[in-house]
């Protein structure tokens, strides 16, 4: 009889353990399923947010591009209107066309594309006499800074063409000092430096001889300056090195 009670008790605990196992497995499944669902919902929400932000960014870019297209369209219309006005002015007046042709000729002269011939002036710059008492002998030498001062004043005063020692000086020419010589576009020239300028000689001379002007500045730097008018200066067009 005691054995029967013992077996019955063992069967009772086995059933309870089995039931508990079933409950644990079920709860684990429910918890795992709930976690996966929550994760999927979270991922879906994050993806939707990224898509929304990307769509919003594209929308802003589209609006900005449309505004830019509108601005360019208005600019193109304004330019077309300006072209039409130019065309009408050319038809209405030949003076405008003549003036533009003259301006084009002046630009070609400045660029050295044309031979230049006409009235003008000739300026000669020489090194000053060296004073043994001077500390720096460079104080008596013509430097590129002196050449630049002269060229700038000639251009401002309306010189159509300029040459130094027979070499045409262009808008993009570079000038460098190498001791007693200067280099113009890679070509060396010794002193004295003869600068020729085609243009209104009276205007050019007056501009250079202003009180405190270029000539006075050169003389103060111990440079020997001579200035003369020439009724017929001739300059060949600039040679382009191949």
């Amino acid at each position: 009889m005691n054995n029967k009670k013992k077996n019955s008790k063992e069967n009772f605990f086995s059933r309870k353990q089995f039931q508990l196992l079933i409950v644990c497995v079920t709860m684990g499944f429910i918890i795992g399923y709930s976690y996966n669902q929550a994760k999927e919902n979270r991922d879906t929400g994050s993806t939707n947010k990224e898509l929304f932000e990307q769509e919003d960014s594209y929308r802003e870019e589209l609006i900005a591009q449309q505004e830019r297209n509108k601005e360019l369209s208005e600019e193109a219309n304004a330019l077309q209107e300006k072209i039409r006005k130019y065309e009408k002015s050319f038809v209405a007046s030949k003076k405008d066309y003549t003036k533009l042709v003259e301006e084009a000729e002046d630009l070609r002269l400045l660029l050295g594309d044309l031979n230049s011939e006409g009235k003008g002036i000739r300026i000669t710059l020489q090194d000053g006499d060296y004073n043994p008492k001077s500390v720096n002998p460079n104080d008596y030498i013509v430097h590129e800074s002196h050449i630049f001062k002269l060229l700038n004043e000639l251009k401002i005063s309306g010189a159509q063409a300029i040459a130094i020692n027979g070499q045409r000086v262009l808008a993009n020419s570079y000038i460098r000092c190498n001791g007693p010589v200067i280099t113009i576009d890679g070509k060396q020239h010794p002193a004295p430096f003869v600068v020729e300028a085609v243009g209104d000689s009276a205007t050019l001379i007056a501009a250079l001889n202003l009180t405190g002007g270029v000539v006075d500045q050169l003389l103060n730097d111990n440079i020997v300056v001579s200035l003369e008018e020439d009724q017929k200066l001739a300059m060949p067009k600039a040679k382009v090195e191949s």
Side-chain angles (χ1 to χ4, degrees):
M1 189 168 180
N2 289 333
N3 290 335
K4 249 183 182 184
K5 288 182 180 179
K6 188 177 182 181
N7 289 335
S8 175
K9 193 175 181 180
E10 288 177 356
N11 291 336
F12 173 76
F13 281 113
S14 295
R15 283 196 298 272
K16 287 192 71 173
Q17 290 175 351
F18 179 74
Q19 291 172 354
L20 181 60
L21 177 62
I22 294 298
V23 171
C24 290
V25 171
T26 303
M27 289 298 294
F29 175 77
I30 293 172
I31 292 172
Y33 179 78
S34 300
Y35 174 78
N36 288 333
Q37 283 295 106
K39 183 178 180 182
E40 289 178 2
N41 292 335
R42 186 169 59 253
D43 292 342
T44 302
S46 177
T47 302
N48 291 337
K49 183 179 179 181
E50 291 177 359
L51 290 175
F52 177 78
E53 291 176 351
Q54 190 175 27
E55 182 180 353
D56 189 56
S57 175
Y58 288 155
R59 187 182 297 108
E60 291 179 357
E61 289 180 7
L62 178 61
I63 293 173
Q65 191 62 45
Q66 289 174 341
E67 290 293 329
R68 180 56 179 160
N69 289 342
K70 183 180 178 182
E71 293 176 2
L72 291 175
S73 178
E74 292 175 353
E75 186 177 345
N77 292 334
L79 290 174
Q80 289 176 357
E81 183 63 26
K82 189 178 290 186
I83 291 173
R84 283 194 291 269
K85 289 181 180 179
Y86 284 147
E87 290 173 347
K88 291 179 181 178
S89 66
F90 288 147
V91 174
S93 175
K94 292 183 179 179
K95 292 182 180 179
D96 292 337
Y97 178 76
T98 303
K99 183 179 179 181
L100 289 175
V101 171
E102 292 175 353
E103 290 178 356
E105 288 294 302
D106 290 341
L107 289 174
R108 291 191 180 97
L109 286 171
L110 291 174
L111 293 173
D113 293 338
L114 298 176
N115 295 331
S116 180
E117 184 175 316
K119 295 180 180 180
I121 61 174
R122 181 181 293 105
I123 311 103
T124 304
L125 305 182
Q126 301 185 63
D127 297 338
D129 294 330
Y130 175 61
N131 184 355
K133 297 181 181 180
S134 175
V135 177
N136 189 357
N138 286 324
D139 293 340
Y140 296 85
I141 295 177
V142 179
H143 297 286
E144 70 267 29
S145 58
H146 301 127
I147 300 294
F148 286 143
K149 287 180 182 179
L150 181 58
L151 293 181
N152 289 336
E153 188 62 42
L154 291 173
K155 291 176 182 178
I156 293 172
S157 302
Q160 296 177 328
I162 302 173
I164 300 177
N165 288 7
Q167 181 178 348
R168 285 288 291 270
V169 177
L170 309 179
N172 61 343
S173 291
Y174 69 90
I175 301 174
R176 185 164 52 88
C177 179
N178 294 320
V181 301
I182 62 171
T183 302
I184 305 173
D185 296 333
K187 186 176 180 180
Q188 289 188 341
H189 296 276
F193 306 110
V194 179
V195 181
E196 296 175 320
V198 175
D200 188 311
S201 55
T203 302
L204 297 175
I205 291 175
L208 294 176
N209 283 327
L210 287 172
T211 303
V214 174
V215 171
D216 283 350
Q217 294 176 31
L218 293 172
L219 294 175
N220 288 336
D221 288 343
N222 303 310
I223 304 301
V224 179
V225 183
S226 63
L227 178 61
E228 60 181 335
E229 185 178 354
D230 196 312
Q231 296 297 321
K232 191 175 181 181
L233 287 175
M235 301 180 192
K237 65 181 181 179
K239 294 181 180 180
V240 179
E241 298 295 334
S242 59

